[in-house]
Structures are given as structure tokens and as C-alpha cells.
Amino acid sequence: MVDLSNYFKGEITIDEAIIKGQKTLFDITGAGKHQSLMADGVNGEQLRDMVAELKERYDVVVIDAPPILAVSDGLQIATVVDWVLYLVRWRHTSEKSVKYGLDTLENVGVNNIGLVMTMVDVREDPDSYAQKYDYA
């Protein structure tokens, strides 16, 4: 099975890396078995070119990237997309880690950042959660 690593190596076209949705309203592609595209020598220019090509074909392009603090892939991908949706696991991710991740994104020039709190249990403290709901 082919994937994005084959595309970045020049072995296939982007069309060959995309799996067309038969019963869905979207297409998909992935990095396959590889843990890190950047470890395979993928650079920012290649990512930029791929995103630009996909944006010409699709109304919306969503890239599910690894955590910013875990490996360099997520940070490099963040620099070539229009928006970053930064997911934070409620009561699991420390405030220090969240701040460090956001600071890291801003330090590399990423300004369009949305933050989403995931796995929130509103039954645990529904009043507190509702009071802190805010738009940035």
C-alpha cells in the first residue's frame, strides 16, 4: 500500500497517494507505517508544495499532525498550514505544557491558532466549566 512517504520520495503522484472516499464525502491519505515524515527527509518546501496542490483540489484540507511537543513533524506542518487547531486534553495536559506549546508555535511564526479543550467531563464540574467558557 502506498502513502505520503512514497509521494515525498517521488515514487508516486499525490493522486496515487489519495484514497478516494467511496461511501464518504471526503478523501484521505496518510503517512502509513512511518513514524515521522521528517525522519524520511521531508522538508518544509515539500510540505508547502503538497498543501498548495491539495488546496487547489479541495475546499478544505485537514492535516492531523503529531503533538507539537512530541516530534518536530507537528511543528513543521504547523508552519505551512493556514490555521492550527491546538487540542488540549482536559485535566491531563499541564498548563505549563500548553503555554510552552503555544509559545513554540508563536516563536516559529504561527499566529492563527485555535485552542480546543478535549475530553471535558461537564458532569464533574458543570458550573465551573460554563463560567470559564470564552472566545479569544
Side-chain angles (χ1 to χ4, degrees):
M1 179 162 178
V2 295
D3 57 45
L4 284 178
S5 62
N6 300 102
Y7 164 74
F8 285 119
K9 290 176 187 173
E11 299 169 350
I12 60 172
T13 66
I14 193 66
D15 288 322
E16 293 170 306
I18 294 172
I19 300 166
K20 302 290 184 188
Q22 299 297 318
K23 297 182 181 180
T24 64
L25 298 176
F26 59 89
D27 299 338
I28 191 168
T29 188
K33 298 176 185 176
H34 292 49
Q35 294 291 329
S36 171
L37 289 175
M38 304 315 140
D40 287 339
V42 176
N43 61 48
E45 184 75 24
Q46 289 173 297
L47 285 172
R48 245 184 301 287
D49 291 347
M50 181 194 71
V51 170
E53 189 171 348
L54 291 173
K55 285 170 63 175
E56 287 180 15
R57 299 166 188 230
Y58 295 94
D59 295 327
V60 177
V61 176
V62 176
I63 299 174
D64 181 14
I68 296 296
L69 303 178
V71 292
S72 64
D73 294 38
L75 192 58
Q76 191 162 359
I77 291 167
T79 64
V80 302
V81 296
D82 297 330
W83 279 89
V84 170
L85 192 57
Y86 192 78
L87 304 179
V88 177
R89 187 171 173 186
W90 182 67
R91 294 213 171 166
H92 183 77
T93 308
S94 72
E95 184 177 336
K96 181 179 177 181
S97 294
V98 173
K99 182 170 177 10
Y100 182 75
L102 292 172
D103 288 346
T104 301
L105 286 167
E106 288 180 4
N107 287 340
V108 296
V110 177
N111 297 312
N112 297 328
I113 305 169
L115 188 126
V116 175
M117 204 59 97
T118 67
M119 303 180 79
V120 175
D121 185 355
V122 294
R123 295 170 297 168
E124 189 172 314
D125 192 3
D127 293 332
S128 174
Y129 178 71
Q131 289 172 359
K132 293 180 182 174
Y133 190 82
D134 194 9
Y135 289 99

